Amino acid sequence: MSRWGMAVDLDRCTACGACTVACAQENNVALGNPDRPDQLIRWMEILPAERGKYPEVSARLAPSPCQHCDREPPCARVCPVYATYRNVEGLIPQIYEQCIGCRYCVNACPYTCKHFNWSRPEFPAPFERGLNPDVSVRNAGVMEKCNFCYHRLQVVRDTAAQEGREPKLGEYRTACQESCPTKAIRFGDLDGELEGVRENERAFTLLEDLGLMPKVIYLKEKTS
Amino acid sequence: MPATGKLEPIGWAEAFERLADKTRGSEVVFGAGDLGRGERQLLRGIAARREAAVVDARLPWGAAPVEAMREMLGSGEWRFDLPRATFVLSLGADWLQSFPSPVEAQRAFGAMREGPRRACVVTADARLSVTAARSNDWFPVARHHLPEFALSVAHAMVRMSPAVAARSPAFAALAGETRFGATETGKRLGIRPHLIDWTASGLGMGGVVVVDGADRGIEAAGMALNLVAGAIGRPGGVVAAALPPLPAGLGEPQARETGEFPRTRAAPVVILAAANPVQLALAGSGFREGLARASFVVSLSPFLDESAERADLVLPVSTPLESRNLTWGCTLDGRGFVSAGPAAVKPLYDTLEWPEALLRVGRALSVELPWKDAGAYFAAAAEALSAQDLLKKGGFKSLEQDPAPPSLPADPGAWAAETVRSALSRPGPGAFPLGLAVHVPLAFLGGSGAHLPYLHGIAQVSGREIWQTVVELHPDTARALHIPEGAPVWVDSARGSIQAVLRLRQGIRPDSAGLALGLGRKALGAFAAERGTNPLDLVESAEPAFVRVRGAT
Amino acid sequence: MRPGRGGAFRVQIAFFLFIWGFTFVTAGWFAWSARWLHRYGDAWKPAVVMGIAVTSCFALLAGLLTWTFVALGRGENGERFDPVPDPIERRLLAPVLAGWSARTWATALALVAVIAWAGYCWYLQLRYGLAVTGLGRPVFWGMYIVDFDFFLGIAYGLVLLSAVLRLAGADWRRAGQRLAAMGAVFAMIVGPVNILLDLGRLDHLHKVYASGRMQSPLLWDVASIMTFLITCLVYLFLPLIPDFGLLRERVGGFRKPIYRFLSFGWTGSAAQVAALDRANRLLAILVVFVAVIVRSVVAWITSLTLQPLWHSALTGPMYVLGAIFLSAAVLALLLAAMRRAFGLSAVIRPVHFDKLGLVLVLCAVVWGYLMVSELLTVSYGNEPDEMAIIATKLSGRFSLLFWMAVGGLFAAPVALLTRKSWRTAGRVVAASLAVFVGSWAQLYTELVPVLEHPRMPLPGSGHYRPAAVEIATFAGCLAAFVLLTMILTRFVPVVAVFYERRGRGDAAAQATERSREYQAEVTHP
């Protein structure tokens, strides 16, 4: 059984934001309301974090999707209706039709990496032509988040089944990974494509001490 | 400029008739914004045959230091060979965010971080820009101090190995003055002297200095430093571009672009090609005044931007996805390439491809170019570049050809020394105590993109604000001004005032204020219009400017 | 079965069947949930635990009701229940028997207008989504949840306070007993409305029952609200029976048969009185447990997450205490309002305010202790995440609300009510208002500052400020609470006539008895 994960090499990341835009485009993320930037939805974000005092300042700019906690995701724990859970492959899907919109999951999430559809998303012409037919447009009042482009896995499996073969290594790719110009984002099976990433000496995860074992693994900047 | 504010649809034939009518016997001025290489050549060809001026309407931040390259190296076609660089000094250039080819910049950075040979990147800038954040080190140097910083690095390099002075005697002589010693300069600029020495040794061992074309003084200092470091013509330094030969008919005759709007008395007809001077022209260029004087304004643009909204005639052009593409140029390591492809999607509206629109504009100005329409143009250009297949299927090919060996003037640094000397005598902060550090977010590169909602989320890379203009200050500066974080403030300069929201960060010099360009649009729909303010209202030119911040109550 | 009672009797039988049926359905729901959760490999034990807890609670209630009503039926002595009217009764029944004055109508209409405004705002929210609220990222919960906690605090606290006082045998509780139960029922109706307001997909609410995961504290909350609403309806209803019996005799017209039905054949016989007393006592024990647990469930919703400051074992006790505190204030306000509206100074005496004032002071002291414990524990530990939040409370964005909470919940009661001679009705009402406002402010500062400080530096995150919609719906909830109280006081006396009369008769004898016991111990060691 696969265990899908992501490795983000912060040494290569340039914070260009291509992943953010590609993700939003791929997943029909709502355009947002400029009057309410606090209600903006972006599944993939660059988290800015400045450290140190002037003039010894450094900044870490980390692309941050849903962390896909491997061990008891707090969101799945508190969801009252099975709208989010950890599936057998370690993915944490969000079932929009099941969600009641209580927002408990995001309040329980230490990464606050889920989003709520505060209003019905609108795609005025010509934006509606850019919608991805493989992904549903969410209704108002439900939570959503990064699901590692799960629809692409389905396409990969369907294609493989039609061709009577097993899905190939590296065939399942996420939109952010594909758009990354420096190849800082790698995606795959933690026991397959990404084998050994966790053991990398630069590897760390966000809020490691909470013990949630996120499957988004960061490789910290090299020092020279 | 006459502007009724109302749009009235007319047919293409009628549009070009009107254009012909209006331009008959009057002076024509072109404004050229972000055009493809071929389209730019077409425009300059038309302008040359019509003896019309072409004003470069691109934002200077993030542009290549073309002027310094021309003056010092004889041509503007040089590249910073970042993919092969081992040591990079970004001199006030936020090249990961604004660069002539942003995609190449990101890729180059990826290449620098690849494998065991890991390039060292340091950035000298007033704020911890994205490039600075991703660098190995950030040297906080105020924008107006950057030429001095470059001089002191050169000073240290000459001291370390006196032989390098021969690469540019004039510049080395200027840098050799005692006031540019590391200790003294460090004290004056508020940075640690050993950083200057360290940078000098890094550059000396084969580094490159990246500058943008925003300010002459910085540009000259940076390129002169490249000269002293021996980076010119060296792999991993500044390499000459091996451009493919121009397709026949595109080369000559050609109008030269100017930075300023011609100051004639007559009321010209202004034709804007992907140019948006209403929003993006610097006050010093006189472009806005020129527009106000114009008898007739034509805008060729895929989007109804501020200038198009006020134009007398709007000629809608297809977006790159809607039209055939054929471009050529040179990658950062100096190798030529050709890239071409068919239209990805059918045009959404009744628009023309760029070459078609330009050819028909030319015809309206009674300039006959060798091609009857865009199809003929593409066919001829593709043949000249042997890219017929590419144009049909889409793709990219590198050209295996060595760049022509550069022939440099006797002392290429003489111009730089002169320019830097005059930059040093510029007035410092006076009534406006804070150095203004303008930067161009990648999302709004070239001033476009503000109407695309997905880009707003990534515009403020180092902050949390979205859809508003933010002025960055150091917490100590804000404390002295008694303004809390998140408060609305006025930013004043000698030229004007804009409103912004205050953000405090450690990653900016206490004597500087950071502002991002791209917002403060007046057009382009709900996602752009009236969101934030335009920092260009504060500056005369791209030279380092000074501002004051006060609370807006 | 006696002739003439057939219709009412059948309805009563149906009522019992319903109660028992509901109990079995609940049990079945939990069993079914446990089964499919087990089959899905999910946590099924919570379903079993909750099923046992909730079902036994319902079973106890149903058993108690059945047993009491059978006893009431057996205890009928065939006499006509017609006690001699006395001044107390006349005073207390006057609002029920008199018609509505123009002023009452005007007040009611004003309240209806506020509720209508709130309703319109809800409509706007349903139409445009929760975007019309001030909520956003990272403050996903705001005033709705604060208001929900607030009203539930009133409900749980009122029941808890009155039940504890009953068990402690405090005579003075009698004047407030009914008001407490009434207030609890209405707060239980108004409070959960805020959850409906807060939900993104109201139309998916049934999924809580159809596919509820019992390990989610929200399901615990659903179960506890359900349990508690029914418990406190019974808690209100049982002591009403003698008064329904009385009203049956006093009113005419269409109300008479209703009161007759509700009085369950009350004749005031010794057997009936004894049965009802026993039922009330048992019920008081049950509700104390239920109220403490369900109040803690509300606290656990936040404290079971990993978020800084929320994740604290102190939240539960703090919420329970806060509920008692708030409800004492609400009770004092209700008593003062009723005394003024219906001229009940003969029944609602200075002693009631004195005692409630004492409760307020005691609560304030314990609250102060808990607050200091929390602040000390957090500050000494000095975790950056937690300290950032504490800082916004002590001196930052939330300092006004935080110090309002401290002022209202500690300074005001202590400063106004510490000495017995200070505890006049006016001062107690003033302190109660301070506690009322302070409690809301405290719940707000428990919830929102934590959400405003996520661990991650999120782009686009803003500050939360309640929008007009949220304020309007809160006003509507308050108005609904007052209006419901107003309406019910026109149908039942605000102080139990039967118990008040009996209490007055027994008081002297009981006091003598008690004092004799103390004396006996002193004189014969």
Side-chain angles (χ1 to χ4, degrees):
Chain A
M1 195 56 71
S2 312
R3 222 154 41 98
W4 302 108
M6 184 178 279
V8 183
D9 189 346
L10 295 179
D11 195 51
R12 306 177 69 117
C13 172
T14 59
C16 69
C19 47
T20 308
V21 176
C23 167
Q25 192 72 57
E26 172 78 17
N27 291 297
N28 299 340
V29 170
L31 303 175
N33 176 1
D35 292 326
R36 291 303 298 269
D38 60 328
Q39 294 182 345
L40 189 74
I41 299 174
R42 292 293 176 264
W43 291 5
M44 178 67 140
E45 296 175 294
I46 312 275
L47 296 186
E50 224 164 69
R51 289 175 299 191
K53 277 208 172 299
Y54 179 86
E56 303 297 330
V57 194
S58 66
R60 170 169 283 168
L61 302 162
S64 160
C66 169
Q67 300 291 310
H68 289 269
C69 304
D70 211 26
R71 186 177 154 265
E72 296 239 30
C75 55
R77 237 184 199 209
V78 299
C79 178
V81 291
Y82 261 115
T84 190
Y85 55 94
R86 183 189 180 285
N87 80 5
V88 286
E89 287 182 286
L91 292 170
I92 322 289
Q94 179 77 26
I95 313 298
Y96 313 121
E97 264 312 295
Q98 186 68 14
C99 178
I100 60 168
C102 68
R103 307 191 290 292
Y104 196 4
C105 51
V106 65
N107 285 337
C109 172
Y111 307 98
T112 325
C113 60
K114 299 190 74 170
H115 294 268
F116 185 68
N117 283 280
W118 300 98
S119 51
R120 201 163 62 83
E122 278 174 30
F123 294 90
F127 286 108
E128 95 281 1
R129 297 192 185 213
L131 291 177
N132 182 352
D134 286 345
V135 179
S136 62
V137 172
R138 277 72 63 188
N139 210 329
V142 297
M143 298 299 305
E144 61 181 61
K145 67 173 192 77
C146 163
N147 52 24
F148 280 163
C149 290
Y150 188 65
H151 56 282
R152 290 184 171 214
L153 177 60
Q154 288 167 325
V155 171
V156 165
R157 291 219 166 112
D158 288 352
T159 316
Q162 273 171 13
E163 294 169 7
R165 60 175 170 86
E166 286 293 304
K168 283 180 280 203
L169 210 64
E171 203 177 354
Y172 171 24
R173 294 162 63 79
T174 60
C176 52
Q177 173 194 24
E178 284 186 340
S179 69
C180 183
T182 62
K183 299 191 169 56
I185 298 178
R186 285 188 296 149
F187 178 80
D189 188 346
L190 287 175
D191 305 321
E193 293 94 328
L194 297 181
E195 200 179 351
V197 161
R198 272 190 211 270
E199 286 70 43
N200 190 310
E201 55 180 15
R202 294 192 288 134
F204 73 100
T205 55
L206 296 180
L207 305 179
E208 221 150 343
D209 50 344
L210 293 181
L212 299 167
M213 299 182 69
K215 286 193 289 292
V216 175
I217 293 149
Y218 292 90
L219 301 176
K220 73 172 179 223
E221 300 87 345
K222 284 180 191 154
T223 48
S224 52
Chain B
M1 187 197 324
T4 59
K6 252 169 66 181
L7 291 170
E8 173 204 342
I10 55 172
W12 281 108
E14 193 189 342
F16 286 107
E17 259 166 47
R18 266 195 216 184
L19 177 60
D21 212 36
K22 291 284 178 187
T23 49
R24 203 163 293 133
S26 36
E27 190 193 344
V28 173
V29 177
F30 287 96
D34 282 312
L35 285 170
R37 191 172 279 267
E39 287 77 22
R40 206 169 194 91
Q41 294 295 106
L42 273 177
L43 183 82
R44 287 158 67 173
I46 295 169
R49 287 170 174 91
R50 177 76 196 208
E51 285 169 10
V54 179
V55 187
D56 185 0
R58 286 174 293 188
L59 270 180
W61 290 277
V66 178
E67 191 181 1
M69 287 174 175
R70 274 206 202 106
E71 297 289 346
M72 298 164 65
L73 310 175
S75 127
E77 298 291 355
W78 291 77
R79 298 285 183 273
F80 296 112
D81 187 2
L82 294 172
R84 287 186 287 182
T86 51
F87 183 93
V88 179
L89 167 65
S90 332
L91 195 66
D94 188 6
W95 53 272
L96 280 177
Q97 286 281 296
S98 45
F99 200 67
S101 167
V103 175
E104 275 198 277
Q106 318 300 321
R107 289 211 177 126
F109 187 87
M112 286 180 193
R113 294 308 197 220
E114 187 95 57
R117 182 197 59 83
R118 188 168 180 282
C120 180
V121 184
V122 294
T123 299
D125 199 353
R127 57 187 288 280
L128 185 74
S129 60
V130 173
T131 310
R134 298 304 297 114
S135 297
N136 300 54
D137 226 330
W138 170 52
F139 307 150
V141 181
R143 286 269 166 98
H144 61 283
H145 281 148
L146 285 171
E148 270 175 81
F149 176 78
L151 280 167
S152 87
V153 173
H155 181 101
M157 282 169 71
V158 172
R159 215 194 54 228
M160 284 172 196
S161 55
V164 301
R167 288 170 178 159
S168 172
F171 190 73
L174 175 61
E177 292 176 21
T178 45
R179 61 180 166 140
F180 299 120
T183 319
E184 211 175 318
T185 313
K187 201 180 288 172
R188 207 163 50 238
L189 270 52
I191 58 164
R192 295 186 186 156
H194 75 267
L195 297 178
I196 295 174
D197 288 332
W198 184 76
T199 311
S201 61
L203 275 181
M205 283 189 287
V208 63
V209 183
V210 180
V211 282
D212 65 14
D215 172 52
R216 261 175 158 220
I218 301 170
E219 171 180 6
M223 287 309 289
L225 204 51
N226 272 324
L227 212 55
V228 175
I232 308 295
R234 188 192 60 212
V238 185
V239 295
L243 286 170
L246 276 182
L250 272 183
E252 301 298 327
Q254 235 185 67
R256 218 185 146 115
E257 289 178 30
T258 61
E260 289 189 4
F261 199 87
R263 305 195 188 270
T264 50
R265 265 171 296 134
V269 171
V270 180
I271 300 176
L272 304 170
N276 184 10
V278 174
Q279 179 73 15
L280 299 173
L282 288 159
S285 69
F287 210 139
R288 287 186 210 178
E289 290 75 18
L291 269 186
R293 258 194 352 254
S295 60
F296 193 71
V297 178
V298 184
S299 168
L300 285 89
S301 163
F303 303 111
L304 202 58
D305 57 24
E306 288 80 0
S307 302
E309 264 194 358
R310 297 210 217 160
D312 300 286
L313 182 62
V314 179
L315 303 176
V317 186
S318 311
T319 64
L321 285 178
E322 295 168 334
S323 79
R324 284 168 283 185
N325 292 293
L326 175 63
T327 191
W328 61 95
C330 171
T331 52
L332 288 181
D333 55 7
R335 249 182 317 173
F337 71 86
V338 179
S339 143
V345 293
K346 271 193 216 134
L348 282 180
Y349 309 104
D350 179 18
T351 52
L352 297 182
E353 291 176 311
W354 267 109
E356 180 71 34
L358 288 171
L359 288 171
R360 288 172 75 169
V361 165
R363 213 162 294 140
L365 301 180
S366 24
V367 170
E368 272 310 321
L369 290 165
W371 311 280
K372 71 175 199 317
D373 59 10
Y377 161 78
F378 278 121
E383 194 186 343
L385 295 159
S386 15
Q388 293 98 325
D389 274 7
L390 288 184
L391 192 60
K392 232 175 276 165
K393 289 190 212 133
F396 171 97
K397 74 172 178 187
S398 307
L399 303 177
E400 295 304 329
Q401 66 192 95
D402 289 325
S407 56
L408 304 184
D411 182 1
W415 175 85
E418 210 42 57
T419 310
V420 171
R421 200 187 301 277
S422 72
L424 289 178
S425 60
R426 288 193 293 218
F432 301 97
L434 299 170
L436 176 63
V438 167
H439 60 105
V440 187
L442 179 57
F444 301 143
L445 191 74
S448 59
H451 60 296
L452 297 170
Y454 288 152
L455 295 182
H456 283 270
I458 60 170
Q460 294 281 344
V461 183
S462 49
R464 305 184 187 188
E465 298 81 0
I466 294 171
W467 267 303
Q468 49 187 336
T469 296
V470 167
V471 58
E472 300 167 328
L473 285 186
H474 191 271
D476 293 348
T477 317
R479 204 170 303 126
L481 294 167
H482 306 290
I483 315 175
E485 169 134 52
V489 293
W490 281 103
V491 184
D492 308 322
S493 74
R495 238 206 116 248
S497 299
I498 61 164
Q499 237 181 343
V501 174
L502 182 66
R503 176 167 78 227
L504 304 183
R505 61 183 298 204
Q506 290 289 333
I508 187 161
R509 278 181 66 91
D511 63 358
S512 293
L515 274 172
L517 284 182
L519 292 178
R521 311 298 300 242
K522 298 281 179 289
L524 290 172
F527 291 112
E530 310 299 336
R531 308 283 172 202
T533 49
N534 186 0
L536 286 183
D537 294 345
L538 294 176
V539 295
E540 191 71 22
S541 68
E543 271 182 29
F546 299 94
V547 293
R548 173 178 65 203
V549 175
R550 63 191 158 92
T553 40
Chain C
M1 194 190 303
R2 290 190 346 206
R5 276 194 9 200
F9 190 73
R10 265 182 226 117
V11 175
Q12 286 168 6
I13 292 291
F15 175 68
F16 289 117
L17 284 177
F18 171 75
I19 287 189
W20 281 106
F22 189 79
T23 308
F24 284 115
V25 167
T26 312
W29 178 52
F30 281 110
W32 172 74
S33 296
R35 188 159 162 265
W36 73 258
L37 285 165
H38 177 64
R39 206 161 42 195
Y40 273 41
D42 201 11
W44 53 275
K45 285 173 195 152
V48 174
V49 173
M50 281 165 71
I52 291 170
V54 173
T55 311
S56 43
C57 183
F58 280 152
L60 276 172
L61 273 181
L64 189 74
L65 283 176
T66 314
W67 175 62
T68 305
F69 289 119
V70 169
L72 285 182
R74 284 229 186 102
E76 279 178 55
N77 57 8
E79 284 172 20
R80 208 172 124 76
F81 176 63
D82 192 9
V84 189
D86 58 7
I88 298 279
E89 183 200 307
R90 244 170 280 155
R91 266 271 172 234
L92 288 174
L93 290 193
V96 183
L97 301 177
W100 286 37
S101 68
R103 223 175 102 193
T104 314
W105 275 113
T107 316
L109 278 178
L111 292 170
V112 168
V114 174
I115 297 167
W117 177 45
Y120 175 68
C121 285
W122 194 353
Y123 159 75
L124 285 182
Q125 185 183 298
L126 288 174
R127 178 156 175 198
Y128 298 109
L130 281 153
V132 298
T133 64
L135 297 167
R137 197 163 177 244
V139 186
F140 288 89
W141 280 348
M143 210 168 136
Y144 290 145
I145 301 293
V146 173
D147 300 344
F148 166 76
D149 283 1
F150 184 69
F151 283 111
L152 258 61
I154 293 177
Y156 298 152
L158 282 173
V159 167
L160 192 54
L161 182 67
S162 66
V164 167
L165 290 176
R166 178 196 292 276
L167 293 176
D171 283 345
W172 61 270
R173 66 150 210 279
R174 220 174 278 121
Q177 197 82 42
R178 173 147 312 149
L179 278 173
M182 260 161 69
V185 168
F186 295 146
M188 257 344 263
I189 292 168
V190 168
V193 168
N194 283 285
I195 287 294
L196 305 183
L197 279 164
D198 193 63
L199 277 192
R201 290 297 298 269
L202 206 49
D203 52 326
H204 281 182
L205 189 61
H206 62 276
K207 291 184 190 281
V208 169
Y209 296 96
S211 46
R213 287 178 76 223
M214 299 298 166
Q215 71 173 59
S216 168
L218 274 193
L219 256 288
W220 311 352
D221 208 25
V222 168
S224 64
I225 288 172
M226 212 166 66
T227 314
F228 194 74
L229 178 61
I230 289 169
T231 312
C232 73
L233 273 171
V234 175
Y235 189 69
L236 171 68
F237 180 70
L238 279 188
L240 267 171
I241 290 174
D243 284 1
F244 284 141
L246 180 64
L247 280 164
R248 180 185 66 200
E249 306 305 323
R250 296 287 186 263
V251 300
F254 75 98
R255 291 202 278 179
K256 200 177 182 76
I258 300 174
Y259 285 130
R260 177 182 297 136
F261 166 65
L262 290 171
S263 65
F264 279 80
W266 178 261
T267 58
S269 72
Q272 282 187 330
V273 171
L276 202 56
D277 277 350
R278 206 162 38 219
N280 279 333
R281 208 164 41 242
L282 286 172
L283 194 57
I285 296 169
L286 180 67
V287 295
V288 167
F289 282 101
V290 175
V292 168
I293 291 170
V294 294
R295 185 58 184 161
S296 305
V297 165
V298 174
W300 290 338
I301 287 181
T302 52
S303 72
L304 293 185
T305 66
L306 289 171
Q307 309 299 11
L309 286 198
W310 278 6
H311 191 55
S312 156
L314 206 56
T315 318
M318 192 67 158
Y319 266 51
V320 173
L321 173 81
I324 298 173
F325 201 175
L326 171 59
S327 65
V330 169
L331 190 54
L333 291 174
L334 281 174
L335 283 171
M338 294 305 154
R339 188 171 74 150
R340 202 186 156 87
F342 304 133
L344 294 180
S345 48
V347 182
I348 301 169
R349 308 286 303 162
V351 63
H352 295 113
F353 292 100
D354 172 39
K355 297 292 187 190
L356 277 175
L358 189 62
V359 173
L360 288 178
V361 175
L362 287 175
C363 283
V365 172
V366 180
W367 185 87
Y369 160 72
L370 287 178
M371 184 48 83
V372 168
S373 302
E374 165 150 323
L375 288 179
L376 181 69
T377 317
V378 173
S379 329
Y380 203 88
N382 205 12
E383 267 186 49
D385 286 337
E386 295 188 330
M387 288 312 286
I389 301 165
I390 289 278
T392 58
K393 287 202 208 180
L394 295 180
S395 59
R397 252 174 67 72
F398 298 97
S399 55
L400 181 69
L401 278 170
F402 178 75
W403 292 110
M404 260 169 72
V406 173
L409 294 177
F410 184 75
V414 169
L416 287 170
L417 308 173
T418 310
R419 296 183 63 156
K420 189 174 169 64
S421 61
W422 295 352
R423 293 196 284 269
T424 60
R427 276 161 173 271
V428 170
V429 166
S432 298
L433 281 173
V435 170
F436 191 77
V437 176
S439 291
W440 191 88
Q442 196 219 343
L443 290 170
Y444 190 95
T445 51
E446 297 264 319
L447 187 86
V448 177
V450 174
L451 291 173
E452 269 204 8
H453 290 83
R455 286 194 174 94
M456 295 288 143
L458 306 175
S461 54
H463 293 308
Y464 170 69
R465 180 171 298 199
V469 174
E470 289 158 281
I471 294 163
T473 44
F474 183 47
C477 287
L478 282 176
F481 181 81
V482 175
L483 184 66
L484 286 170
T485 312
M486 231 176 102
I487 292 171
L488 194 64
T489 55
R490 304 299 164 141
F491 289 95
V492 299
V494 295
V495 176
V497 180
F498 173 78
Y499 290 103
E500 182 65 24
R501 192 150 42 192
R502 194 180 67 164
R504 280 172 182 248
D506 295 351
Q510 281 173 2
T512 318
E513 171 67 12
R514 259 202 305 270
S515 97
R516 202 180 55 75
E517 278 175 13
Y518 306 144
Q519 309 253 336
E521 291 212 6
V522 174
T523 45
H524 306 287

